[in-house]
Structure formats: C-alpha cells, structure tokens
Amino acid sequence: MHFPTRISYHDLTETFDMIRLIYIPFDILNPRVAYINYRDLDLGQNSRIDGRASYEEVKVKVKVKVKSEVDPTNFFTNEQRIPVAHDQLPYKQAHQILCDPPTDPRQLQRADAMDATTLSGGHDYEGLSYTSTQSLPFVILDLINFQSVNVDVDDETAWVQAGATLGQLYYKIAEKSTTLGFPAGICTTVGAGGHFSGGGYGYLMRKYGLSADNIVDALIANAKGEILNRESMGEDLFWAIRGGGAASFGIVLSWKIKLVQVPPTVTVFSVSKTLEQGAISLVHKWQYIADKLPNQLMLIVRLTRVNSTTQALFRSLFLGTSDQLLQIMQESYPELGLKRKDCIETSWVRSTLFFYRLPFNGSLNILLDRNPRPRDFFKIKSDYVKIPIPKIGLQGIWRRFSEVDNPVMLMVPYGGRMAEIAESEIPFPHRNGNIYQICYEVHWTKEGEGSIMQIEWMRRLYEYMTPYVSNSPRDSYLNYRDLDLGQNRIDGGASYEEARMWGAKYFKNNFDRLALVKSEVDPDNFFSNEQSVPPHQRS
C-alpha cells in the first residue's frame, strides 16, 4: 500500500494549476533494507530484456522515487533502474495529492479545481477513497477533522460529522443515555460518512432497519461548492445519499440521525459448532427460522476455519434479559442447545465491544480508538439468499473452506423491520423476500503473498454459490464494494448503460432514479469513481 505526498491545504488551493507532484511510495511492511552503492542483483532485477520494467516487480524489492515527471520515457535504464510509477499499475497513484484535512466546511468549497475523492473512516473495501483510475492528478479530501458528535437526548437525535467513527458515536450516546442506541455496524473504527451513505447494518437491523433508514437530515457540499441541508438540497438528493453512495453526488459533511430505544439490559451470546457437532444441520435449520424470530433478536452465523476445522459460530444480540432469550430459543431453535452459561447480560453500548471482540467490561474509551483491526489484506463479496440452501449446498461450502487459509462467510438474517420497508423508500433495495445476506471474506497477511490464490478462491466460491442466491439481477450490497461486478471506463467516461450492469446489482430498479438525480445535481460528473453513478437524462 502506498500513500500520497501530503501538502498543506493552503498550498493546495493556491497552486492548483501548477501542481505536478512527484510521488514517493514506501513499503509499510518494513523491508530488509540495502545500500544502493553496494549494488546487489541477488535482491532482484528488471526481468525484461527489452528495457521495460514492471513497477509491480520492482516495488517490493527496492524503495523507489517515482521518476514519472523527469524521465517519463525511461531513457535512463539498467537492471535495477527505477520504473515509471504508472507503468502497468492497476491504480494510477503517481500524482495523488493528499491535503491536510480541512477544519471548516467552507474550505471544501475551494477544492473544485480537480477531481476529488473523499476519505472518512478507512474501511473502504476496494480502495476507491484513496486511489483512482479516473484522473491524474486528483485530490483526496481527508475528513478526519470532521468527527464531532452532538447528542440531543430530549429530541432523541444526534448530528454526526462524516469523519466520526461508529465507536465515537456509540461512546457519545452512552455518555448521555443508557436507553438510547443506533442501528449501525459492529466495526467501531468504520467512518460514519461511508457507512451511512451505503446503507449501514448491524445487530439492531431487524428491530430498527438500517442506519440510512434512520437519517433525518444531512449537510452536503455539492459540485458547485454549495453547502446544503435537507431543505435546500431537495428530497431527491436527500433520498439518493441515504443508501445510494453519497460519493456519487457530493461530499457529506454531517448526518442528523434519529436515535432508537434500547433496554438497560441486553443479552449476547457466542456459541460455536463443528461439523462433528452437527454444524451443517444447525445452519440448515437456522435458514428457516432466523428471519422469523422476534424483531428484538438478531442471530447471525459466521462460518470460519480454525485450526484446519471449519466451524459455525452463532452470535446473537437480544434486546432483553437472558431468561426471556432462553425461552424464545427453546421454543424456536432448541437444536442449538443454548444454555444459561452461554448468555451474558450487559448494556447495549458494551455489546458493541463484545461483537468487535474488544474487552467489554473495561473502559469505554476503547471505542474512541480509530485504528482498524485487524490490519491485513482481504477480498470481500456479497450475496442475498431468498430460498434456503439445501444441505448438499452447505456441504460444498464446507469442502471449499478447506482449500484456503482464513476464509469467512457471514450470514445475516433479514425479516423484521427490514421486510416492512419498501424497496424504493431509499436506494438500498434489499428488503422483503430476502431470508439473509451473505458476506464472503478471505484474508491474507502480507502484500503479494498468496493474494492471487486467495482472490481466485473467492471467485470460485462466488461462482459455486450461483444456483443458491438471488438472480436477475444477482444482488450485492454497496458497502461491500466489489469491482468484479464491473466498473466505469478508465478514461473517466461513464456510460449509463454500462454502469447499469453493476448498478442494478446494488440498487435494482432504484438505479434509474439515482442516475436521474445525478443528472440534476452533477451533470458534468465531477464526483466520479470506478463505480460512481453516472448521469442519465430522462428519455
């Protein structure tokens, strides 16, 4: 992973027209270093006898200073020459500019001289908030300074700036109330900016819907540099940014959210089952009951491989006491064999620590930690299931989990409030008719080591799942961004017809309305990325 050169915001805005930065990447994996004057070809060398050199081959062997500006034709070359940075790079990172994070929304009105991408929290699964194939140079707007959270207990609302993390939001809510919460994700280091704009789900989803379902206002900087609220932006744009990916339409600065009621005591549990303990039968039965359980009960299944054994981990949040939960489970899912010793009664805010595998009986200050964990490499895809997968299909998943290290399959039940909201209420369309959502993950620890094998395994699993998941279109979740589904052209062009191939998977019929909103608010497609919504005029 490489990072762009950082300059001051003042320097950026004063010298937009003359900036041609030389980008200096570095290896964050702390390589074994060597002295260039003690030249050592054992470290590796350019493999092509025609004088060309691949940046991808060189970057892990030597530290390089990009010479794209001073020798773009690579006239000066040898066996260990420094390559041009954008030579065969999948993402054109050579001329990125990262300005010091703005501290005032008015500063963003001055950042319209180049294409811009927005970084809020850092959980960007395809890296679209810090890389680009669309434009050179481009600007990364780092919203880390926009992280205030103001909770109004009387009104049961909060204003959350886009750079605040979910952990910061949960912490601020807990400071003011033990009976208020918010339906959002378990990863406390996720930024609110992207999470809310793509939908945002978590353990309160079956009771209260998505994060985006509970947004009542927002502040956004549009392509003209205007800062608008719900009233001034209009209902079409306000509809689009709640689940349609706000990065296609502008820069959301802050969200106003409606908080939800939670009891003082909630109950959590985590129970794992192996193949020998009947995991396949338990998962098969889970498919028939998970979306029909009471709305206050969320029961998620996580398939993982631990010590060469694939196991099913059942994790649950219940908005009530353990006695109430045990009664429901005995009536609806006795096969799991839940015992009182498995149940932990705690507060809602501490349940967020439990699910992110943080110490949940210690200080809540850990919610303020912005450092993502774990820090590794991964590929993610998603699916939706409308008909329970037969046991033979589940057995096939088990077999495939033995082929690779660190696979994960998260199965998140729908039903409840999710089935009550219309598909067109916001751009997020995955509602009634879905039993559960699947998130596939595969992880590796070192850049370049095993990544091709891991990603190819993921694609084979995705292909295997085709008969068992939604079709026409095969649905996907926007916040599990997947460029395998298709992307806009590298030259920055965005065809509505081409984009609809992947847009329908994220948004179904809502994609057409999103493209029409885009035409109204950003007809020149200033806010664009590999999977941004393109403009489309009504025929």
Side-chain angles (χ1 to χ4, degrees):
M1 180 183 296
H2 305 296
F3 298 93
T5 301
R6 182 179 291 275
I7 64 176
S8 73
Y9 195 90
H10 177 269
D11 290 342
L12 172 68
T13 55
E14 292 298 320
T15 60
F16 254 133
D17 293 335
M18 62 185 71
I19 291 174
R20 292 293 185 271
L21 293 182
I22 295 178
Y23 171 58
I24 307 175
F26 61 92
D27 193 336
I28 64 171
L29 299 179
N30 297 320
R32 184 170 181 176
V33 299
Y35 178 35
I36 192 170
N37 275 4
Y38 294 154
R39 183 78 71 173
D40 182 4
L41 294 184
D42 287 347
L43 301 179
Q45 53 185 297
N46 298 325
S47 60
R48 301 187 182 186
I49 60 174
D50 61 0
R52 292 182 56 80
S54 163
Y55 175 82
E56 291 299 316
E57 292 175 350
V58 175
K59 71 173 181 176
V60 296
K61 301 169 186 173
V62 296
K63 287 183 178 252
V64 296
K65 178 176 181 180
V66 176
K67 64 171 186 177
S68 305
E69 290 294 325
V70 297
D71 183 19
T73 61
N74 195 31
F75 175 80
F76 298 102
T77 184
N78 58 43
E79 288 80 358
Q80 284 189 339
R81 68 94 175 175
I82 296 171
V84 176
H86 53 74
D87 182 18
Q88 300 182 22
L89 267 179
Y91 293 98
K92 295 183 179 179
Q93 299 174 319
H95 299 276
Q96 292 177 351
I97 301 165
L98 180 60
C99 62
D100 283 341
T103 56
D104 188 299
R106 290 170 295 183
Q107 290 179 305
L108 297 176
Q109 295 173 300
R110 303 170 63 191
D112 60 356
M114 301 180 186
D115 286 352
T117 188
T118 309
L119 180 66
S120 60
H123 283 243
D124 181 353
Y125 292 160
E126 289 283 16
L128 303 188
S129 63
Y130 55 86
T131 60
S132 177
T133 62
Q134 306 296 311
S135 171
L136 290 177
F138 72 101
V139 179
I140 297 175
L141 296 170
D142 185 352
L143 298 183
I144 191 171
N145 286 333
F146 287 69
Q147 54 180 283
S148 72
V149 178
N150 294 309
V151 176
D152 185 335
V153 174
D154 295 332
D155 194 37
E156 297 186 355
T157 61
W159 275 102
V160 185
Q161 288 192 322
T165 64
L166 300 185
Q168 289 173 306
L169 170 60
Y170 299 158
Y171 181 89
K172 290 294 186 179
I173 294 173
E175 272 190 329
K176 297 288 188 69
S177 173
T178 60
T179 57
L180 290 175
F182 189 70
I186 66 169
C187 297
T188 59
T189 53
V190 166
H195 187 69
F196 294 176
S197 78
Y201 75 87
Y203 276 83
L204 293 176
M205 176 178 70
R206 299 190 65 251
K207 178 67 173 177
Y208 292 113
L210 305 172
S211 301
D213 293 324
N214 294 276
I215 291 170
V216 295
D217 204 343
L219 292 179
I220 185 172
N222 67 8
K224 298 178 181 179
E226 301 167 328
I227 297 177
L228 310 172
N229 62 11
R230 178 175 182 173
E231 181 179 1
S232 54
M233 79 174 76
E235 287 302 305
D236 284 342
L237 180 54
F238 184 63
W239 174 85
I241 63 176
R242 293 175 296 147
S248 293
F249 305 95
I251 303 167
V252 172
L253 307 174
S254 187
W255 303 95
K256 186 178 182 181
I257 60 175
K258 182 65 176 176
L259 303 180
V260 301
Q261 290 288 330
V262 293
T265 299
V266 304
T267 304
V268 298
F269 71 77
S270 181
V271 174
S272 64
K273 299 290 183 179
T274 63
L275 185 66
E276 292 74 22
Q277 294 171 318
I280 289 180
S281 293
L282 287 169
V283 173
H284 184 254
K285 172 66 180 293
W286 172 90
Q287 297 178 105
Y288 289 88
I289 59 101
D291 65 321
K292 301 175 182 63
L293 292 169
N295 293 6
Q296 64 266 37
L297 174 56
M298 170 66 90
L299 178 57
I300 287 176
V301 177
R302 181 182 176 91
L303 304 184
T304 59
R305 193 158 71 89
V306 179
N307 298 325
S308 300
T309 299
T310 299
Q311 66 177 23
L313 183 65
F314 296 83
R315 309 190 82 187
S316 178
L317 169 67
F318 175 67
L319 301 178
T321 66
S322 57
D323 287 340
Q324 295 169 318
L325 173 61
L326 287 166
Q327 181 177 348
I328 293 171
M329 292 296 289
Q330 183 58 40
E331 294 172 354
S332 302
Y333 200 24
E335 295 87 348
L336 186 61
L338 185 68
K339 301 289 191 290
R340 186 175 299 277
K341 64 180 178 61
D342 301 318
C343 300
I344 301 172
E345 291 186 345
T346 186
S347 64
W348 168 77
V349 70
R350 291 194 179 277
S351 77
T352 66
L353 300 176
F354 176 84
F355 293 121
Y356 201 32
R357 290 172 290 178
L358 296 172
F360 69 96
N361 282 326
S363 171
L364 291 179
N365 287 338
I366 197 169
L367 288 169
L368 304 178
D369 184 358
R370 297 181 63 96
N371 295 313
R373 54 178 300 274
R375 301 181 68 89
D376 60 6
F377 301 91
F378 56 86
K379 174 65 178 175
I380 286 181
K381 288 179 173 290
S382 61
D383 263 321
Y384 286 86
V385 177
K386 298 178 181 295
I387 300 173
I389 300 173
K391 286 186 178 181
I392 190 171
L394 297 174
Q395 290 167 351
I397 296 171
W398 245 258
R399 289 195 299 271
R400 283 160 176 78
F401 263 50
S402 66
E403 299 172 355
V404 71
D405 293 331
N406 303 314
V408 176
M409 181 168 159
L410 189 66
M411 306 163 75
V412 181
Y414 272 42
R417 179 64 179 145
M418 291 297 291
E420 298 169 356
I421 300 173
E423 288 188 359
S424 60
E425 182 69 20
I426 63 172
F428 179 97
H430 314 296
R431 303 292 188 170
N432 191 31
N434 291 298
I435 301 175
Y436 59 96
Q437 173 190 311
I438 296 176
C439 172
Y440 312 98
E441 304 175 30
V442 65
H443 297 252
W444 59 97
T445 56
K446 293 184 179 180
E447 185 177 11
E449 291 190 11
S451 59
I452 295 176
M453 181 187 72
Q454 304 275 24
I455 291 173
E456 287 304 315
W457 173 86
M458 168 73 78
R459 290 169 177 161
R460 291 196 304 272
L461 176 63
Y462 189 74
E463 180 64 26
Y464 168 77
M465 294 296 294
T466 302
Y468 305 118
V469 297
S470 62
N471 58 75
S472 301
R474 184 171 181 175
D475 298 337
S476 295
Y477 175 41
L478 179 66
N479 274 359
Y480 293 150
R481 185 79 72 171
D482 182 7
L483 293 183
D484 288 350
L485 303 180
Q487 54 185 299
N488 298 324
R489 294 194 301 272
I490 292 177
D491 61 6
S495 161
Y496 164 80
E497 293 300 332
E498 292 172 350
R500 206 179 193 288
M501 298 299 293
W502 53 261
K505 298 177 186 296
Y506 291 135
F507 306 115
K508 300 174 74 170
N509 292 331
N510 292 333
F511 182 72
D512 294 338
R513 183 178 173 187
L514 285 170
L516 291 173
V517 174
K518 174 74 168 183
S519 299
E520 292 295 322
V521 302
D522 186 19
D524 296 327
N525 201 27
F526 175 74
F527 294 106
S528 65
N529 59 51
E530 286 78 357
Q531 283 190 343
S532 59
V533 176
H536 178 59
Q537 300 297 332
R538 191 186 304 273
S539 58

